[in-house]
Amino acid sequence: MYGDDATVRKILTESGDTWAVVGLSSNRQRAAYGVAQVLQRFGKRVVPVHPKAETVHGEQGYASLADIPFDVDVVDVFVNSDLADAVADEAVAKGARAVWFQLGVVDEEAYARTRAAGVDMVMDRCPAIEIPRLA
């Protein structure tokens, strides 16, 4: 419903390979950890964004999107829906080409704002589920 298959395919294949994963920490029990591994396996550079700014999967972490000193193509959001709207706005400000809200993360107003800014977006889906389908 929040991102058709064509948009999912575009984000995964055309939007770029540098993915900032907001909420990614070294906690192996969290979904973000495993999803980031899948993204790396499919050739994506995964940049952890977490207040602890930990290095995860060999990539330096940053406390916020604004702290990342290089361009980001896609922002993958693993925070609660009540925090996700601000992350979507930060992603647009950062110049990301796409925003991806993970399963269970839904904010219709953030979706509308992001799309109105010309940025592709999907919500309530998981790239680790979608990307193998493209292979």
Side-chain angles (χ1 to χ4, degrees):
M1 179 174 178
Y2 302 109
D4 56 42
D5 288 340
T7 302
V8 168
R9 177 177 292 281
K10 180 180 177 187
I11 292 172
L12 291 171
T13 63
E14 300 173 26
S15 293
D17 291 333
T18 302
W19 286 53
V21 181
V22 178
L24 175 58
S25 71
S26 61
N27 183 345
R28 294 172 183 260
Q29 305 305 313
R30 305 292 300 200
Y33 190 89
V35 169
Q37 281 183 311
V38 172
L39 289 170
Q40 281 187 324
R41 196 163 55 242
F42 281 88
K44 307 300 182 189
R45 178 183 183 191
V46 173
V47 182
V49 179
H50 189 279
K52 294 181 182 177
E54 300 172 294
T55 296
V56 183
H57 300 308
E59 287 285 346
Q60 168 64 49
Y62 298 90
S64 72
L65 288 173
D67 291 340
I68 300 173
F70 48 83
D71 291 339
V72 170
D73 300 312
V74 180
V75 175
D76 189 6
V77 182
F78 276 94
V79 299
N80 294 330
S81 295
D82 59 337
L83 302 173
D85 66 330
V87 176
D89 293 340
E90 291 168 19
V92 170
K94 179 75 178 162
R97 298 167 72 183
V99 176
W100 192 299
F101 280 11
Q102 281 294 324
L103 291 171
V105 181
V106 175
D107 185 315
E108 292 180 8
E109 290 178 9
Y111 182 84
R113 281 195 318 273
T114 302
R115 298 288 295 151
V119 176
D120 289 325
M121 184 171 180
V122 297
M123 293 193 301
D124 197 26
R125 294 178 85 160
C126 179
I129 293 170
E130 303 295 338
I131 201 167
R133 295 178 183 174
L134 301 177

